[in-house]
Amino acid sequence: MKLFDNPRRWKKIMLALFGAAGAVGALWWAVFALKPYDITPAQWEALYAHASASAPAPQVQLGAPEPVTIGATPAWAQSIRYAGFDGATVLGRLVHPADPAQPAAAATQRPVLVALHAMGRTHRRWWQPDIQGRPTIEGTHLVAEQALQAGHVVLALDARLHGDRKDPARPLIARQLLRDLHLWGEREPYERLIVDTVKDYRTLLDWVVQQPWADHTRIRAAGYSMGAQMALLLAAADGRVRSVAAMVPPHLGRTVAAVAPSIVAHRLAGVDIWLLTAEDDEHASQQDNRALFTALPGPAKRHLTFPGGHVLPAAYVQALQPWLARQPQAATAPHADRGPAASLSTRAPGRPADRPGAEASVAP
């Protein structure tokens, strides 16, 4: 007798298969699935603490200024090298709109743009239109050029395990890191990457605010994807960052609470935040993005939405020009951690494109 000629036996087999699949699924959920957790304000602050208030600024090794061209804009670049909060070597680049070897330029206080790259990328994506024939599709080099034209000093570091900071014995593969996070529940490597990179930037800010060319009342951060996530976390942890442009941050919740901007959005009161999202982003739905924007406190915020997916259309770069021209609110003490703040979110009347605290849709 053929199997398919016996409906009762076929039904039993199917029920057994479904039961086995359900058992395997339940076992996976019990053992590997990420579980939500809570983190207290004190725990969060301790996690992102990089130094005591009396700790000296890091000894930063700067390369000699060299003329470069960012897009079509002439600039002067210096390599950055210093020991991070845990002694790890941190590498990056500092780019000036004027030659810092000239006394007048070195003594001119300028706004500072802290630039944070996406996962799997390097700080070079803020300076070059392509690397080894692979284009900088996120357009961050155009944001850096625009910032230089607006008189900013731009600095960018390689995130941990990225670029020149890769571990040759265990190179980071972004897809594998995220797969292990979601499939096997290995949250520690992912969270450590984010937290330690944010702390590297905090350590560098200790040095930046002591430089004669830096206007420490105008320190802003811009990041793309993972960089947007870290820019929001950096501003939440460090009162010196008063303005943030977050381009397509991924949606994260309590399963990775330590590195989820939505968990600490209340700490961003008084920060000028522009959130740039896409209508069909595979890493954050429109509902997720609206919820993040709503959670951000204060009227000094804008939400710009663009058609398409995680790679924003080129129009987003020009849309950031007004953000670069804005004067951030006064910075708090150099080492001040941001405490909890009540929600001050308002929606001002008038056209969304003209008023803070509003959402706008931008066509390419």
Side-chain angles (χ1 to χ4, degrees), residues 124 231 256 268:
R124 292 180 176 84
V256 285
L268 293 166

Side-chain angles (χ1 to χ4, degrees), residues 31-305:
V31 177
F32 299 112
L34 286 172
K35 310 298 191 301
Y37 69 94
D38 294 318
I39 183 168
T40 68
Q43 289 171 332
W44 194 91
E45 290 168 11
L47 186 63
Y48 284 88
H50 69 297
S52 66
S54 60
Q59 297 297 313
V60 176
Q61 301 175 35
L62 289 176
E66 57 177 333
V68 295
T69 302
I70 309 299
T73 301
W76 284 260
Q78 294 178 279
S79 61
I80 300 174
R81 183 186 186 96
Y82 65 97
F85 69 95
D86 58 354
T89 299
V90 185
L91 302 169
R93 201 182 202 193
L94 181 68
V95 179
H96 302 261
D99 185 357
Q102 300 300 318
T108 301
Q109 287 194 332
R110 299 183 182 277
V112 177
L113 176 65
V114 178
L116 300 97
H117 65 75
M119 180 173 286
R121 310 300 258 179
T122 78
H123 77 81
R124 292 180 176 84
R125 291 296 179 180
W126 284 92
W127 323 119
Q128 300 174 215
D130 62 85
I131 297 176
Q132 297 179 345
R134 292 175 295 175
T136 302
I137 56 177
E138 60 268 41
T140 45
H141 61 297
L142 301 175
V143 177
E145 180 182 17
Q146 192 165 260
L148 290 164
Q149 291 173 350
H152 289 66
V153 174
V154 184
L155 63 89
L157 305 174
D158 278 335
R160 298 251 168 161
L161 304 177
H162 285 71
D164 293 332
R165 304 180 71 188
K166 286 182 178 178
D167 181 354
R170 192 179 180 184
L172 179 138
I173 302 174
R175 290 191 300 273
Q176 181 177 330
L177 179 71
L178 296 176
R179 182 197 65 195
D180 291 345
L181 170 69
H182 295 294
L183 184 59
W184 304 118
E186 295 183 5
R187 68 162 61 94
E188 195 279 336
Y190 173 73
E191 291 188 341
R192 181 54 52 195
L193 162 66
I194 302 298
V195 171
D196 287 355
T197 300
V198 170
K199 291 162 75 171
D200 286 339
Y201 274 101
R202 294 198 70 185
T203 301
L204 184 58
L205 286 179
D206 292 345
W207 173 82
V208 167
V209 296
Q210 295 184 4
Q211 304 311 302
W213 45 260
D215 182 350
H216 61 80
T217 68
R218 292 189 291 166
I219 297 177
R220 46 176 41 103
Y224 200 100
S225 191
M226 179 187 76
Q229 171 192 358
M230 292 194 296
L232 291 166
L233 294 170
L234 176 61
D238 202 303
R240 295 169 293 197
V241 179
R242 306 303 301 171
S243 182
V244 173
M247 288 85 81
V248 288
H251 170 64
L252 300 164
R254 288 177 54 238
T255 56
V256 285
V259 295
S262 60
I263 300 298
V264 290
H266 62 276
R267 298 175 64 94
L268 293 166
V271 182
D272 184 10
I273 299 179
W274 284 33
L275 178 65
L276 286 71
T277 65
E279 294 174 353
D280 193 24
D281 191 339
E282 57 270 35
H283 300 295
S285 69
Q286 292 188 52
Q287 182 178 358
D288 294 331
N289 292 326
R290 284 194 295 269
L292 175 59
F293 180 71
T294 300
L296 295 171
K301 64 177 183 176
R302 296 221 6 222
H303 185 190
L304 304 181
T305 60

Side-chain angles (χ1 to χ4, degrees), residues 304-319:
L304 304 181
T305 60
F306 297 81
H310 199 61
V311 178
L312 292 175
Y316 95 83
V317 176
Q318 292 302 315

